[in-house]
Amino acid sequence: MTGYLDWTPTPGDDFRLSALAGSHFQDVDIAGTLTLKRFLFDATKAETAGNADWVICENTSGTPIRFPSPNQTLVTATTPETYWRGGLSSWGIALAKEGHYVETLAPGASITYGNTSNAQDLSNFDVYIVDEPNILFTAAQKTAILNFVKNGGGLFMIADHTVSDRNNDGSDSPKIWNDLMTNNTVQTNPFGLTVELTNISQTTTNVLVDPTNTILNGSQGAVSKLIFHNGATIKLTPTANATAKGLIWQTGVAKTSKTKVMCASSTFFNGRVVLLTDSSPADDGTGNPSDTLYPGWTDAAGNHTRLHLNASYWLAKLQ
C-alpha cells in the first residue's frame, strides 16, 4: 500500500500513518511502516567557507538549517530545486521527490554514533553525506563515523583538489579525509582508499564497464562521463581492503590502475562507502548569491545527477 504523511518524520520516531496530505513518502504498509531512507548532509565542517556552498538548504543569511524550509513534506514531482537554497539543493530535492527523508547536521551539532540523547546521532540515519569538509574530524568523531559504517551505514565522501583550504585553518579536504582513514582508533585505511594530492581538470569517459554495478548502472540510469573542474584523484589499496574498487579514471589510464581514479567505492564490514574527489559535479549553482559557484549537477548530459543519486541509493542499500 502506498500512503501519504502530513507531518515531518524525525529519524528514530515510530512512524505513523496519517491522513492523505502533503507528501509522497514511499511504500507505507498497512502497519504504517515506511521503507524511506534517511540521508544526513553534514554542515559542521565549514562546508560554506569561501565560495563553497555544500548544503541542501540555508536561510537568507547563508546559515545551513537542520530542517529544509519550506517543509519537505510539500515536495512533489514538479517541485523545482530552487524550493530550497543551497549548492546541493538539487540533490536534496531529488531525494525528497523519490520519497526519502533529508536533514542537515547544522553548525554546532554533534557527530556521534550510539548516543541516544542526540536526535541526530548517525544511528538514526542510513546515509551520511559529507561534501568537502574543511575542518579536521576529532578523534571521537572519526570513531563515530567509522563505527557507523562498520555497523551498516553508508558514507558518501566528497573531496576537492589539493591546496583547497577554504577557511585557511591549515587543513583541506584531501588532508581531512586521509586523516580520517589513517589516524583513527578503529582500523588503519579501513576503506582501502587514499586521496592523492593532485589537481586535475578534465572530462573523462573512462568508466568501468560493468552492467551489474548499480552505482554506474542503477535506477537513475547509466553513467558514461564525469567532468572535473579542479579535483583530486584516488589511490586504491586492495591490500588494506580488497573491496576497494575504481569506478571512473582519468582519460587514458588503464581501468586496472590503482591510481588516478576519480570515483571509487568500498565496503567496510556491513557498511558502504563512495569517494568522489571533486565537489563541482554536485554543485547546482543556486546557493548563496554572494558565492562564485561552478554548476555541475546538470553538466555532462545528466551523468552527474545519475552518479550522485545512484551512489546515494547504493549506499542506502536500495540497489
Side-chain angles (χ1 to χ4, degrees), residues 224-310:
S224 60
K225 183 184 296 185
L226 179 60
I227 302 175
F228 269 22
H229 297 286
N230 299 106
T233 50
I234 303 164
K235 176 184 176 182
L236 310 177
T237 308
T239 53
N241 185 323
T243 70
K245 179 188 291 291
L247 302 176
I248 305 174
W249 289 259
Q250 285 184 243
T251 298
V253 176
K255 293 183 177 69
T256 55
S257 176
K258 300 298 187 289
T259 62
K260 300 183 179 180
V261 181
M262 298 165 68
C263 183
S265 67
S266 180
T267 61
F268 181 57
F269 289 85
N270 296 318
R272 298 178 175 185
V273 174
V274 169
L275 173 59
L276 178 65
T277 42
D278 188 15
S279 53
S280 60
D283 182 357
D284 64 26
T286 62
N288 192 322
S290 65
D291 293 335
T292 302
L293 301 174
Y294 300 91
W297 183 257
T298 57
D299 211 344
N303 280 274
H304 292 169
T305 304
R306 292 192 287 269
L307 176 61
H308 286 80
L309 292 179
N310 278 339

Side-chain angles (χ1 to χ4, degrees), residues 11 104 124 130 195 224 257:
T104 295
N124 293 322
V130 188
V195 181
S224 60
S257 176

Side-chain angles (χ1 to χ4, degrees), residues 196-219:
E196 297 176 308
L197 304 183
T198 53
N199 185 344
I200 66 167
S201 294
Q202 68 168 239
T203 298
T204 183
T205 58
N206 196 9
V207 178
L208 178 71
V209 179
D210 181 359
T212 68
N213 187 291
T214 55
I215 299 175
L216 300 174
N217 298 282
S219 60

Side-chain angles (χ1 to χ4, degrees), residues 17 23 32-33 49-50 85 93 101 110 112 123 154 160 179 213 221-222 237 242 248 253 286 299:
L17 183 62
S23 186
T33 301
R85 189 178 78 165
I93 289 291
Y101 179 79
S110 299
T112 65
S123 64
D160 205 26
D179 178 69
N213 187 291
T237 308
I248 305 174
V253 176
T286 62
D299 211 344

Side-chain angles (χ1 to χ4, degrees), residues 4 10 14 31 35 44-45 54 70 83 121 130 183 204 211 239 269 274 281 310:
Y4 291 78
T10 299
D14 292 329
T35 60
T44 67
K45 296 299 179 180
W54 313 137
Y83 187 68
D121 188 81
V130 188
N183 184 25
T204 183
T239 53
F269 289 85
V274 169
N310 278 339

Side-chain angles (χ1 to χ4, degrees), residues 114-130:
N115 182 350
T116 57
S117 66
N118 180 8
Q120 290 190 291
D121 188 81
L122 293 178
S123 64
N124 293 322
F125 296 87
D126 299 290
V127 179
Y128 182 40
I129 298 168
V130 188

